[in-house]
Amino acid sequence: DGGITQSPKYLFRKEGQNVTLSCEQNLNHDAMYWYRQDPGQGLRLIYYSQIVNDFQKGDIAEGYSVSREKKESFPLTVTSAQKNPTAFYLCASSPSDREVGYTFGSGTRLTVV
Amino acid sequence: RKEVEQDPGPFNVPEGATVAFNCTYSNSASQSFFWYRQDCRKEPKLLMSVYSSGNEDGRFTAQLNRASQYISLLIRDSKLSDSATYLCVVNVGSYIPTFGRGTSLIVHP
């Protein structure tokens, strides 16, 4: 079955450490997105990519970086510059047909220890 | 004014009740609309798209009012399993969806 796979499900980061969250989709979707969700809050856009080798900053890109070397993959790196990284991170994808909606991965819970 | 606004609730209703949520959007150029459901500590899942003519899926009915710039979700005969947060999503002709912060629904026995 097609879908989006995020890994790991839980991740613990030490102060000053960079960590990378994986997002892989086999839906042949063109666009991919990274969101952050804090408890009781809505989804905030970190980065998005509409095509391979191209991506744009979202509303809260500071302290994060991404790459889109393959259509299927859109990894997110949380750098040490992100001062408050503890959150639920969600990856999503969508096809060119914007009437279809967005498919989410099951998320990664990142905690700073 | 926020681009997409929802009443956070919670809406606390008994089983079997009918409940309705609204979601207002500010950009009149918005083109496509969706309702998502998010369970606690889970990812959002598409509940239904919202079409100009309105659409129904079982106990769920979604409607779009372009003149007043809002979409609605009606849930009939509420079940305990309907308890969740309902997010509205609006596209403004780009790949970038705008999410509302969600409306919490609690269905009690």
Side-chain angles (χ1 to χ4, degrees), chain B residues 5-11 20-24 86 101-105:
Chain B
E5 292 199 58
Q6 295 184 253
D7 180 344
F11 285 64
F21 313 132
N22 282 345
C23 168
T24 59
Y86 291 84
R101 296 181 71 173
T103 296
S104 175
L105 172 66

Side-chain angles (χ1 to χ4, degrees), chain B:
Chain B
R1 181 182 174 187
K2 292 182 180 176
E3 292 185 54
V4 177
E5 292 199 58
Q6 295 184 253
D7 180 344
F11 285 64
N12 206 319
V13 302
E15 274 186 289
T18 295
V19 61
F21 313 132
N22 282 345
C23 168
T24 59
Y25 59 93
S26 58
N27 194 324
S28 59
S30 299
Q31 295 184 349
S32 52
F33 310 86
F34 309 92
W35 282 104
Y36 277 72
R37 170 192 171 127
Q38 186 175 25
D39 292 290
C40 188
R41 301 177 68 83
K42 299 284 189 181
E43 75 274 22
K45 293 186 177 178
L46 181 63
L47 181 64
M48 57 200 305
S49 302
V50 186
Y51 303 123
S52 297
S53 55
N55 46 305
E56 187 173 311
D57 183 3
R59 298 181 293 109
F60 298 84
T61 300
Q63 294 196 317
L64 167 64
N65 186 317
R66 285 194 182 274
S68 300
Q69 295 184 199
Y70 73 88
I71 63 173
S72 64
L73 178 68
L74 180 78
I75 305 175
R76 291 180 297 278
D77 189 22
S78 298
K79 311 292 184 190
L80 295 176
S81 57
D82 293 334
S83 297
T85 296
Y86 291 84
L87 309 173
C88 74
V89 184
V90 176
N91 267 349
V92 190
S94 70
Y95 278 107
I96 314 307
T98 300
F99 285 80
R101 296 181 71 173
T103 296
S104 175
L105 172 66
I106 301 171
V107 182
H108 59 83

Side-chain angles (χ1 to χ4, degrees), chain A residues 8 11-22 62-66 75-83 85 89 108 110-113:
Chain A
L11 185 58
F12 298 90
R13 192 193 93 165
K14 294 181 179 179
E15 295 281 354
Q17 194 177 46
N18 291 357
V19 292
T20 297
L21 283 58
S22 171
E62 185 175 349
Y64 301 97
S65 66
V66 293
L76 174 74
T77 296
V78 184
T79 74
S80 57
Q82 172 48 241
K83 297 306 179 187
Y89 290 86
T108 294
L110 175 62
T111 303
V112 175
V113 296

